[in-house]
Amino acid sequence: MRHPSILVCLTIAGLASVTAAQKTADAPAAAPPVTSKMLENPSPEDWLMYSRTYDAQRFSPLEFINRRNVSQLKTAWTKDMGTGTHEGIPIVYQGVMYVIQPGATVSALDATTGASLWEYKRDTPLASRTKTLAIYRDLIYYAAPDGFIVAIDARTGKMRWEAKTDGGMTSGPVVVEGKVITGRTCAAKRANCYISAHDAVTGQEAWRFYTAAGDDDPGGATWGGAPEATRLASTWGLPGNYDPATKLLYWGVANPMPNTRMARHQGNVDAIPLTSPADLYSNSTLALNPATGKLVWYYQHLPGDDWDEDYTHERTLLRTAVRPDPKFVKWINPDIRRGEQRDVAVMVGEGGGIFTLDRRSGQFLWASPFPFDAPNFLISNVDGRTGRVTLNRDLLFRGPGDHHVICYWNTRSYWPTAYHPRLNALFVPWVDNCLDMTSAVPATPDTPAANEKRAGIPRAGSKPEEFAGLARINMETGEIQHIFKGRAPGNGAVLATAGDVVFWGDLDQKFRAFDAVTGKMLWESTLGGPVDNSTITYAVNGKQYIAVMSGEGLLSGGLITQSGIQPARRHNEIYVFALPDQR
């Protein structure tokens, strides 16, 4: 891996083209600085990162709200947000909520009332699609749409430092071992395809890891001679996770670009193999040393993708007995000792499929199609012993104007899953959606060029009234139970709690609570707009709150149109619920 010279621009607060304005309430009293130990083991009352903990389990130990009383939830407060796209997840520390607003704005709110404490706004016309904020010491970290990583004073909203970087940042930051780590959207060239670490106090860049391997990198030969400068594989989705025990940072990489093998390899579909590795490190799980950025291991979930299917987003870290049942699991490593306790990393891809790996070594343990096993599933085989994935060759585009239907497509995306440790269950939202795709046709003297055509289409044989749902996956056996099915797809984050409640919302404005044990729906509220990402829980002074946002992300509009639902559109608002007389 090469480390070219890096330009970092640090700006003293007050000189940057940004504003920080006091709003309707006084600044909160200074809270103790957030330490690395607090991030590793946060208070149950706080929500310090996008999935609460480094393991991305999105599990809260709070149980004031439980399956016996969740039906009594009432609105505690609401707050309108600015207009525009949003995909963010708030964080909460000692009674203050920090939230990404549409329009490149970060706000601090009183988490018990919604009163504004301060607002920080970038002086840029660019829209913000960043999904996460991070907190460390007394700073809030924001990946701004103009390419700057910004450190904001958590008490006043004033900027402390900013660092200019190359490439877009639609993912968001996570702080690990005193470093702010972020991923990039590539911005049309390999030089912008990387994960970087910046010192959390000074903003100085510490390292970069390029997610599209270059000629001199390990994995460079897997691009089949494609020009180095045009190799693209971004990390646009949810940021990575960290294991303090193994000292490893886990990060998911999206598809290789351009979308098809023909476009990437000068028309030669067979320039790279159908099996992994191909076009590294696209569609891979990376295990990196957070101190140096060096690669420790990788696993490729979809080699040489031909359809723009992303295997980015979070890797859920958990410990489980490994006993995959062949009745439920299609691909199993025959060398694993059944029932052995393993530390694993689990992920569900946008193209479908669930993968379970040993998180210390990257060893393949088991995988299976998800949400259902379709004949035109994009993977034809996973070698159990090696974990080597083989693409479905019948779905490859071998010439201009070829047409295929590929399952799946955006069956889940930037809305994170949740894991309940006591039940050893992963809760995953899904859309029974496949990709209807026709490859591009170049211009001829007689006909104009035709762009690549892509559209969602329900899986053959599926039911419109069961277009989407929520699944519970037993992480020991691999059994998938579809506990809820409906017409409306969801872009909402899943939340699991020690009260044995699972919260999840859909694009038809419905926010629901389910019994984590039985799957029964226990409570429902209709919001003013579609649920997008966001869902968290926290407590202040012994009172538990559930927070969710309405609005729309990049994928929301297409799914709304395809499913035929008719929700209120572009309504951005924060909704916070609590029990009426809890204390």
Side-chain angles (χ1 to χ4, degrees), residues 25-26 28 45-47 75-79 90-99 107-117 536-541 543-548 574-578:
D26 293 333
E45 287 76 23
D46 296 326
W47 192 278
T75 302
W77 58 267
T78 65
K79 189 175 185 65
I91 58 175
V92 176
Y93 178 52
Q94 296 217 339
V96 179
M97 177 184 291
Y98 303 93
V99 61
S107 299
L109 310 174
D110 184 317
T112 64
T113 66
S116 296
L117 303 174
I536 67 168
T537 188
Y538 58 91
V540 183
N541 297 326
K543 187 179 182 72
Q544 185 179 357
Y545 299 85
I546 307 291
V548 66
I574 305 173
Y575 300 83
V576 178
F577 300 92

Side-chain angles (χ1 to χ4, degrees), residues 460-500:
S462 63
K463 301 176 182 179
E465 66 273 16
E466 296 181 353
F467 182 54
L470 183 66
R472 179 176 57 203
I473 305 175
N474 183 311
M475 291 313 304
E476 179 175 344
T477 67
E479 181 180 8
I480 300 171
Q481 295 177 308
H482 296 278
I483 64 174
F484 179 81
K485 296 179 180 180
R487 178 180 293 271
N491 285 184
V494 188
L495 166 67
T497 74
D500 287 337

